[in-house]
Amino acid sequence: MDLGVEIGEDNDTITNKGSMWALDQKLDQPMDEEAGRLRTMYREKKFSSLLLLRFAFQSLGVVFGDLGTSPLYVFYNTFPHGISDPEDVVGALSLIIYSLTLIPLIKYVFVVCRANDNGQGGTFALYSLLCRHAKVKTIPNQHRTDEELTTYSRSTFHEQSYAAKTKKWLEGHASRKNTLLLLVLVGTCMVIGDGILTPAISVLSAAGGIKVNSPKMDSDYVILVAVVILVGLFSMQHYGTDKVGWLFAPIVLLWFLLIGGIGIFNIWKYDSSVLRAFSPVYIYRYFKRNGRDGWTSLGGIMLSITGTEALFADLAHFPVSAVQIAFTTVVFPCLLLAYTGQAAFLVVHHDSFETVTQAFYRSIPDKIYWPVFVVATLAAIVASQATISATFSIIKQALALGCFPRVKVVHTSKKFLGQIYIPDINWILMILCIAVTAGFKNQSQIGNAYGTAVVVVMLATTLLMTLIMILVWRCHWILVVIFTSLSLVVECTYFSAVLFKVDQGGWVPLVIAAAFLLIMYVWHYGSVKRYEFEMHSKVSMAWLLGLGPSLGLVRVPGVGLVYTELASGVPHIFSHFITNLPAIHSVVVFVCVKYLPVYTVPEEERFLVKRIGPKNFHMFRCVARYGYKDLHRKDDDFEKKLFDNLFMFVRLEAMMEGCSDSDEYSLYGQQTEKSREGLLNNNGNTSPSTGDFTMSTVDSIVPVRSPLHANNTVTSSQMSNQTEVDELEFINNCRDAGVVHILGNTVVRARRDSRFYKKIAVDYIYAFLRKVCREHSVIFNIPHESLLNVGQIFYV
């Protein structure tokens, strides 16, 4: 069937190839009108003073657990071979004081935490902010309609500004986008390593308190106790932090008060002169006196600021001001008192190697030893919980942005969106954590590994924050230089120190990160190539319309939901399907599920629906948009919501047709308030070959009343109402007849002339990941009896 369509463009008729191209553009534009009606104003939440204090209290149990347990092992890892000069203790204390002040307090609590994505923290939150302000996302499935979301906040800048030049530079070459993504992935993989090492060192350090009062006890018993605690900790993850979270804050608050009080007691009892460590001159004397040994001891000092990245990653449930209040009023002063008290104790007892290796427990007064031991063990469990939860969150973000294989995500709380549980990752973390604990058997080597993971994440955050300050905050270049240079000087100094300990345990996070980085990068590469294949092989809309109302096939009762990654165009899977089968369903809906660089998409803004072709085709497109914190839960009933939005679309379309004063039908998207001016095509001329429909400037071909029926007494409103009822009844009958979910089962292969590493990555690693990851049908809760897989293969 030939389809001739006149397209008005400067009163000239476009023909041949140009006409086909213009037809495709007219028929399948993105959903500007549909998205426009959903725009509302985003208002920042404001909290009362009492509620803010409550949040500050609750944040102690979730955000600061990891940072608070550092006094258990810092001095041991700083002086693993003992202390020769008591002045070294003062120098190390001075380093700890200024490390806590510069990194957690100034950099993170007062600067980095402000760079949250509507309250969401972590490496991918920074990346999502950058993706909204510059076109750096490597899967280009976004459109300007996505910017209409209430959660899609972004700023604009002048074309000649430094920010605009930076944006242009980032977008200028694909290698820069890939480098930025690689930086984000490296930071993410190091956070995963942190989630493995934190439980290992925290629980092992806490369990080590058993041996202090029983020196003859074999170290293997301490390892066994730590492993039992770890197994119990990971086995309880499926309950979620919401069910046990009410215990966390009191435990951590009690822990901070205890270590702060013990610190004051030790300063008073042993040596108050250690307070001179607040003078930075002792840092200079420390390095001058110890040389290279002093430099390498920075790897132990580094552990005093571990948990700072978890602080940022776990930001989701609390306002930034609540975190700032908790840190400045409780966490920071108690940590300073704890370290200062231990230093006062060590100045007096520096001659004993056993005392140095067990500095925390040795400095506890005998009368409260066992209560403090119990609280320390509970605090270590809480600290481990915080990093495990942060690992789950950041993997969920990576999964949503196409950088991690599909895994099962369980939502553990009806109150908090961010509290999730990932079974597969949980057991992998448990096995690796037990292996690290049992393999190293001491805190020193685990501490070396821990320091390496922490400093690499901090360096990645600094580089991302530099771009945030330029593109998002539009700071003056002097402020950017000051922040970046100060951060890099401190962090590169620590990084150079941990490099000396790579062979002493520091290789562990590097190996773990390399394994996860390989998985994430190969998966992302395959996802990008699959999307490019979909884009290049999509079917022309003109070809589809040329098939006629029956699409050249038998239309059988039922609804066919064709899943695709494309938000425009007909996917290759559909042409492949109708080429091999002689029938298609009476109603066809192309379903595109895509994730956006926002933390969530409100329910009322999630679905966009439009019509494809004339009404008698009964073809629609539905785009379901999700943020990286959103979940496909079974109780959401994806299919039901999809049909609800489809029915709503048909009603609104009929409503707009009924309100029209002319004899034409036009689609206004879903904006009932918009004027019809400019939405209809030039004068509504019909196609000479069809005579019964024309095109509007929006996304559908719409029917036109024939001039032969101009004297018909039935009003357009009555006709539209009848049309609405007829189509709704037709779609509902088709739905009752059965819904079939059509998914593409794509096989990706490397070309024969590809390099060997590409063949290994695509044919083996990516193929294996595709085999073991969850199917799309499971994510959308599609019953097997309604599932139809369409196989296809393409080469990259």
Side-chain angles (χ1 to χ4, degrees), residues 422-643:
I422 305 178
D424 301 331
I425 300 301
N426 182 64
W427 303 124
I428 291 173
L429 290 180
M430 186 188 77
I431 293 170
L432 292 175
C433 190
I434 292 174
V436 168
T437 305
F440 285 129
K441 297 183 179 181
N442 66 80
Q443 304 170 26
S444 180
Q445 288 186 320
I446 300 178
N448 295 337
Y450 199 12
T452 304
V454 170
V455 72
V456 172
V457 177
M458 288 183 176
L459 283 170
T461 301
T462 298
L463 296 176
L464 291 173
M465 276 300 302
T466 302
L467 295 175
I468 292 290
M469 294 179 75
I470 295 172
L471 294 177
V472 182
W473 292 351
R474 290 174 290 169
C475 297
H476 195 278
W477 67 269
I478 295 179
L479 293 177
V480 177
V481 170
I482 291 173
F483 172 83
T484 306
S485 57
L486 285 178
S487 298
L488 289 179
V489 165
V490 176
E491 290 159 7
C492 287
T493 301
Y494 279 123
F495 184 65
S496 65
V498 298
L499 286 179
F500 286 106
K501 298 187 177 183
V502 169
D503 60 337
Q504 302 172 33
W507 56 271
V508 173
L510 299 179
V511 172
I512 294 172
F516 277 96
L517 180 63
L518 179 65
I519 292 172
M520 295 172 77
Y521 192 81
V522 168
W523 183 265
H524 181 73
Y525 175 80
S527 300
V528 171
K529 291 301 179 182
R530 200 170 70 247
Y531 182 81
E532 290 176 352
F533 171 78
E534 291 272 6
M535 283 293 295
H536 293 131
S537 61
K538 67 181 182 179
V539 180
S540 165
M541 284 297 300
W543 171 83
L544 181 67
L545 295 175
L547 298 176
S550 66
L551 303 181
L553 302 167
V554 177
R555 300 297 291 268
V556 298
V559 179
L561 301 181
V562 183
Y563 289 81
T564 174
E565 295 186 7
L566 302 178
S568 63
V570 178
H572 177 74
I573 178 182
F574 183 73
S575 65
H576 189 61
F577 176 78
I578 64 175
T579 300
N580 290 276
L581 290 177
I584 191 64
H585 300 89
S586 298
V587 175
V588 177
V589 183
F590 296 107
V591 182
C592 170
V593 178
K594 68 176 182 178
Y595 283 91
L596 304 178
V598 296
Y599 76 102
T600 186
V601 176
E603 283 286 342
E604 63 273 13
E605 302 180 43
R606 178 151 296 160
F607 290 91
L608 295 179
V609 182
K610 78 171 183 179
R611 186 184 299 279
I612 298 178
K615 284 190 175 181
N616 56 357
F617 274 36
H618 300 298
M619 297 179 67
F620 303 89
R621 182 184 310 285
C622 176
V623 177
R625 304 176 295 181
Y626 290 85
Y628 55 78
K629 281 288 184 181
D630 292 328
L631 293 168
H632 298 298
R633 292 177 292 174
K634 292 184 179 180
D635 56 351
D636 278 346
D637 202 349
F638 179 82
E639 182 182 313
K640 180 180 181 299
K641 291 187 176 182
L642 187 150
F643 278 104

Side-chain angles (χ1 to χ4, degrees), residues 693-721:
F693 62 87
T694 186
M695 294 192 313
S696 70
T697 55
V698 289
D699 301 320
S700 63
I701 293 185
V702 291
V704 174
R705 294 180 60 196
S706 170
L708 299 176
H709 299 86
N711 296 324
N712 198 316
T713 58
V714 181
T715 65
S716 61
S717 177
Q718 292 172 325
M719 290 184 63
S720 64
N721 290 337

